[in-house]
Amino acid sequence: MLLKITPVNNRAYDCLLTPVVTICNWFKRDFQLMFAETWNFTFKHNISQEITRYGERITYNDGDWVSLLERYHGVKLDFCKGSHEQIITELNASRPVIVFFQSYWCPWSPDFKRKEQDGPHFFMIIGFDGVNYICLDGIYLSSPVVLSRDDFNRGFKGTYVTFRLKLEEDIVPCPYDQIIKSAADGFILSETPRQISLFAREISHSFNIKAEGEKYIINAPLMRNLEGIARGRMKFGIFLRYVCERYGAKNLLAISDEFMSTGNSWAGIQRMFIKMWFAPDTQKSTLKKIVDELFSLADKEEELAIDLRKNTAN
C-alpha cells in the first residue's frame, strides 16, 4: 500500500503543521482559517527573579487550531494512542497518519543519533510494504523515504494523528470579520505592544546569551519561542490572505503582506540571537540591533492592530 501524496514545505509551518497542511491539500480541503488565533506574544515580568532565562519568559500559542480546522474546513483530527496495528488499519482504509517520533531515531533528520539535538518530531506514514514503513516528511524531504520497523519501534512515541472529513454541508460558515476584530482587540487589550517593548528594555539592561542555552542553542527555549512567534505572524498573514481571496475582502491584502514581513522580522531576531551565541564577542552590537528591531516591531504591530480594527469596523 502506498498513498500518492505531495508534501508541502513552507517556513511558516512546523513539523506538525507541515503534514497537516499536506494532508488537507491531498483531501482537497482548505485549511487557512485554522490560523485565525496565531497572532500573540506574552512576556512575563520577572519581579521575583525566579526565572532567569528569557526563553522561559516569552511565550506564544497557536490557539485552538484543531477545532478551527474542523469547524471551518470540516477536517477532524484525532490524537490517538496506539501501535503498528492501528496505523496499518488507517493505511488500509487509504488514510495517511501522522506519527509522533523521537528525532534521535529518525534516519533522515539532522538530529539522527545526535543526543544534544534530540527532540520531538512529526511526519507522515503513507504506506507499508510488509516490512518497512513508507514515510513523507516535508520538513526535510521532497519524496517518500523508507523507515525500518526497528527504527520505528525505537523512535515511535506512541501517539499518532488520524483524519476524518465532515460533509461540506456540515461545515460552519466563518464570521471572518468578527474573528479579525477579536484578534485585533485582544492584541491591544492585552497590551502586547507594551510587552514586546518591555522585553526589549529588559534584555538591553541584562542579558547573557550563554545563559539561554549551554549546549545546542537551536533547541533552547528562547529560540523555539522566537521561531513560534515568527511563524505565528506568518500564519496570521496566510489567514488574512485567504480571507481576502475567499471572501473578497481586498482591503486585507496589503495587511496580510505586512504580517508576512513582520514574521520575517521576528525570524531575523532569532537568527541574530543564534549568531550571538556562536560569536559572543558580538553580543553588545548585536543586542542593540535586536532591541531596536523589537521596539520597531512593537510600534508596527500596534499599527497593524489599529488598521485591522478600521477595516472590520463596518
Side-chain angles (χ1 to χ4, degrees), residues 148-167:
S148 71
R149 282 290 298 274
D150 285 343
D151 281 337
F152 174 83
N153 291 335
R154 293 186 187 104
F156 180 52
K157 305 292 286 185
T159 297
Y160 65 98
V161 184
T162 64
F163 292 76
R164 299 291 185 272
L165 298 183
K166 297 170 70 173
L167 297 175

Side-chain angles (χ1 to χ4, degrees), residues 175-185 249 251-252 255 304-314:
Y176 67 87
D177 51 345
Q178 297 176 26
I179 291 174
I180 293 171
K181 184 178 184 303
S182 177
D185 288 345
N251 54 323
L252 297 176
I255 301 177
L304 287 173
I306 292 169
D307 285 346
L308 286 175
R309 274 179 157 180
K310 290 178 181 176
N311 278 280
T312 57
N314 300 318

Side-chain angles (χ1 to χ4, degrees), residues 69-298:
L69 181 61
E70 179 180 357
R71 185 182 310 143
Y72 299 129
H73 296 297
V75 181
K76 186 179 189 303
L77 274 61
D78 283 309
F79 290 77
C80 312
K81 292 290 185 180
S83 59
H84 170 80
E85 289 73 21
Q86 287 80 21
I87 292 173
I88 296 303
T89 297
E90 291 297 307
L91 294 174
N92 285 336
S94 297
R95 292 189 295 261
V97 298
I98 298 172
V99 292
F100 181 31
F101 212 76
Q102 185 179 357
S103 61
Y104 183 87
W105 294 110
C106 184
W108 57 86
S109 166
D111 299 344
F112 184 53
K113 293 189 176 180
R114 298 181 66 178
K115 197 66 179 176
E116 73 277 9
Q117 297 177 212
D118 185 24
H121 188 51
F122 292 89
F123 57 82
M124 282 176 285
I125 294 181
I126 60 172
F128 184 70
D129 63 9
V131 178
N132 302 308
Y133 294 95
I134 312 301
C135 306
L136 200 59
D137 189 343
I139 291 289
Y140 298 121
L141 305 168
S142 59
S143 58
V145 64
V146 170
L147 179 70
S148 71
R149 282 290 298 274
D150 285 343
D151 281 337
F152 174 83
N153 291 335
R154 293 186 187 104
F156 180 52
K157 305 292 286 185
T159 297
Y160 65 98
V161 184
T162 64
F163 292 76
R164 299 291 185 272
L165 298 183
K166 297 170 70 173
L167 297 175
E168 294 277 359
E169 54 265 32
D170 293 332
I171 298 174
V172 176
C174 177
Y176 67 87
D177 51 345
Q178 297 176 26
I179 291 174
I180 293 171
K181 184 178 184 303
S182 177
D185 288 345
F187 188 84
I188 292 174
L189 291 174
S190 63
E191 298 186 314
T192 304
R194 186 186 70 83
Q195 294 186 58
I196 297 172
S197 296
L198 183 59
F199 172 50
R201 197 169 293 113
E202 287 207 17
I203 64 172
S204 70
H205 295 309
S206 174
F207 184 80
N208 179 3
I209 186 61
K210 292 299 182 180
E212 297 298 323
E214 296 179 358
K215 295 182 179 180
Y216 191 60
I217 190 61
I218 301 300
N219 283 339
L222 179 63
M223 303 310 155
R224 291 294 191 189
N225 285 328
L226 287 171
E227 183 177 49
I229 291 162
R231 284 174 165 164
R233 272 73 181 157
M234 295 177 192
K235 288 181 287 191
F236 196 76
I238 291 170
F239 158 72
L240 290 176
R241 178 171 285 273
Y242 177 80
V243 169
C244 171
E245 295 172 352
R246 174 71 174 79
Y247 300 102
K250 302 299 183 184
N251 54 323
L252 297 176
L253 182 59
I255 301 177
S256 73
D257 290 339
E258 288 296 324
F259 270 96
M260 299 302 292
S261 173
T262 300
N264 285 326
S265 295
W266 279 100
I269 288 173
Q270 184 209 33
R271 289 192 296 271
M272 283 192 278
F273 274 118
I274 293 172
K275 173 187 174 183
M276 189 191 303
W277 191 86
F278 284 105
D281 57 310
T282 67
Q283 175 164 310
K284 185 176 180 180
S285 59
T286 304
L287 192 60
K288 184 181 185 307
K289 294 178 183 177
I290 290 171
V291 169
D292 289 345
E293 184 69 5
L294 285 168
F295 281 129
S296 176
L297 283 170

